[in-house]
Amino acid sequence: MPRAGLDRAAVIAAAAEVADERGFGQLTMGLVAERLGVRTPSLYKHVESLAALRQGLAALAMTELGDALRDATQGYAGRDALAAAARAMRSYLTEHPGRYAVTVGAVVDPELDAAGARVVESLAAVLRGYRIDPAEQTHALRTLRSTLHGFATLQTAHGFQWNADTDQSFEWLIDFLDRGLRRP
Amino acid sequence: MPRAGLDRAAVIAAAAEVADERGFGQLTMGLVAERLGVRTPSLYKHVESLAALRQGLAALAMTELGDALRDATQGYAGRDALAAAARAMRSYLTEHPGRYAVTVGAVVDPELDAAGARVVESLAAVLRGYRIDPAEQTHALRTLRSTLHGFATLQTAHGFQWNADTDQSFEWLIDFLDRGLRRP
DNA sequence: GCTTTTAGCTAACGACATTAGCTGAACCTG
DNA sequence: CAGGTTCAGCTAATGTCGTTAGCTAAAAGC
């Protein structure tokens, strides 16, 4: 019985792969264990429950998204920063649909909150390139986040019913946001 | 053994109540049956499976949302129509969080598609009040839908972390959309 | 080397979805 | 209204999945 050398991070990483490949709904203790070459109950030495595993995965996804946003916007400002952030967010959500889906509907949790705060911080940094009334900062931030989140989730979920180019729509959306944020 | 007089619609309606009250994740055959005063296996005389029940529920939610949008925008145009549609959409999603959650991640299905098309049609009607280049219609439509969907789902999911008034943010968002859609 | 800790395992239980097969209520048909 | 047919809802049983209990041997500490 050679040990597998697992830890909480390894289990969550395997869960992330399962969620991305088979979909959020197929995230099951059995599939995660199988991927790690281990029997199902062994996972409980590293995560308390499936719910906790989902929480951890949600935090991982939010952290990765935050990193992606930070890296993408590094060194840009104004419209360039906005476009970079928007594309980075869409890329992450479409490349890791299962991972991100867990964050929606996840319960309040310090780790997830902290990661979410970093995402918000990156978006706030993008807004700094626009002259926005401090009193409206929060509203603009929420609008930006909602728009990007909504586009990406709608696309990965049903997709938009008709088939006009989605990339083109997204570039139009970036332009729409830029124009709107530029002029109060 | 007096008969309960169920049918597919009654089962889906009960499922909708369960989903709204206990959350999407708690939508279980047992809870639906209990609400109807019936034993679990009896449901299978009316729906083929839990997956099919979810599909039916998704279609119901999308249909209700479409009706709400149609009713709310009736007789309005331009900014008024936009505001009415936005508020109607947010109201529906927040009043029926579980119901709507099922539509995200639902599989392609003729009934859901048709209902979704009616939602899109109502939003397209709103856009008619703005002078939008026909070539950009689809992009504007997707942007509008994404923004409203994103705001409502983010709000009902984690809620926005900080506590500035959400209603106020939403009104700002409506204004943002109106200004953006109006310009050249 | 010897002890202690603990990762991973087998066995077992409970919740839930689903199927098979029964029974009697409702609905026909004459 | 009698007799037959349909079928809604039930009980019993099976399979999957999450979770717990308790064992064993691999690692880690002395």
Side-chain angles (χ1 to χ4, degrees):
Chain A
M1 205 196 302
R3 291 204 181 178
L6 300 182
D7 59 5
R8 181 180 169 87
V11 174
I12 292 178
E17 294 177 18
V18 170
D20 282 342
E21 288 169 20
R22 322 267 296 234
F24 166 56
Q26 295 291 326
L27 177 56
T28 186
M29 294 299 257
L31 284 176
V32 174
E34 186 184 356
R35 173 170 298 257
L36 293 167
V38 139
R39 300 296 189 143
T40 304
S42 306
L43 299 181
Y44 288 84
K45 297 288 179 181
H46 306 289
V47 295
E48 308 78 64
S49 64
L50 176 61
L53 178 57
R54 288 206 188 105
Q55 282 295 129
L57 180 51
L60 170 69
M62 200 61 90
T63 300
E64 289 179 340
L65 176 59
D67 289 350
L69 286 175
R70 178 171 42 67
D71 294 351
T73 56
Q74 201 77 277
Y76 294 109
R79 201 211 131 95
D80 291 341
L82 173 67
R87 294 193 191 110
M89 182 145 173
R90 183 158 89 115
S91 294
Y92 186 78
L93 298 223
T94 51
E95 279 161 28
H96 303 291
R99 223 172 279 221
Y100 187 78
V102 182
T103 68
V104 178
V107 193
V108 231
D109 168 61
E111 199 186 347
L112 178 58
D113 267 15
R118 281 197 299 280
V119 167
V120 167
E121 174 48 39
S122 277
L123 295 179
V126 168
L127 288 184
R128 255 174 247 130
Y130 295 88
R131 307 233 166 277
I132 296 179
D133 182 348
E136 301 184 3
Q137 285 282 357
T138 301
H139 305 324
L141 192 47
R142 287 175 175 172
T143 297
L144 176 58
R145 188 180 179 192
S146 297
T147 306
L148 298 180
H149 169 85
F151 192 97
T153 53
L154 275 182
Q155 187 199 340
T156 64
H158 340 286
F160 298 97
Q161 5 252 39
W162 33 51
N163 33 13
D165 189 13
T166 311
D167 292 349
Q168 207 179 323
S169 290
F170 192 65
E171 294 301 321
W172 192 91
L173 181 150
I174 291 174
D175 209 57
F176 180 86
L177 288 172
D178 176 58
R179 287 194 323 256
L181 291 172
R182 185 172 304 173
R183 191 218 38 168
Chain B
M1 209 196 303
R3 293 207 179 177
L6 299 183
D7 58 6
R8 181 179 169 87
V11 174
I12 292 178
E17 293 177 17
V18 170
D20 282 342
E21 288 170 19
R22 320 267 296 231
F24 166 55
Q26 296 290 326
L27 178 56
T28 188
M29 295 297 258
L31 284 176
V32 174
E34 185 184 355
R35 174 171 298 257
L36 292 167
V38 139
R39 300 297 187 141
T40 303
S42 306
L43 299 180
Y44 288 84
K45 295 290 177 180
H46 305 289
V47 294
E48 309 78 63
S49 64
L50 177 61
L53 178 57
R54 287 206 190 104
Q55 281 295 129
L57 180 51
L60 170 68
M62 200 61 90
T63 302
E64 289 178 340
L65 176 60
D67 289 350
L69 285 175
R70 179 172 40 67
D71 293 351
T73 56
Q74 200 79 276
Y76 294 109
R79 201 210 131 94
D80 291 342
L82 174 66
R87 294 195 190 107
M89 183 147 171
R90 183 159 90 116
S91 294
Y92 185 79
L93 299 223
T94 51
E95 279 161 27
H96 303 291
R99 223 173 278 224
Y100 187 78
V102 184
T103 66
V104 178
V107 194
V108 232
D109 168 61
E111 198 186 347
L112 178 58
D113 266 15
R118 281 198 297 281
V119 167
V120 168
E121 175 47 40
S122 277
L123 294 180
V126 168
L127 288 184
R128 255 174 246 129
Y130 296 86
R131 307 232 166 278
I132 296 180
D133 182 347
E136 301 184 3
Q137 285 282 357
T138 301
H139 305 323
L141 191 47
R142 287 175 174 172
T143 296
L144 175 58
R145 189 180 177 193
S146 297
T147 305
L148 298 180
H149 169 84
F151 192 97
T153 53
L154 275 182
Q155 186 200 340
T156 65
H158 340 287
F160 297 96
Q161 6 253 42
W162 34 50
N163 33 14
D165 190 13
T166 312
D167 292 350
Q168 206 180 323
S169 290
F170 192 67
E171 294 302 320
W172 192 92
L173 183 149
I174 292 174
D175 208 56
F176 180 86
L177 287 173
D178 176 58
R179 288 195 323 257
L181 292 172
R182 182 174 304 171
R183 69 102 243 173

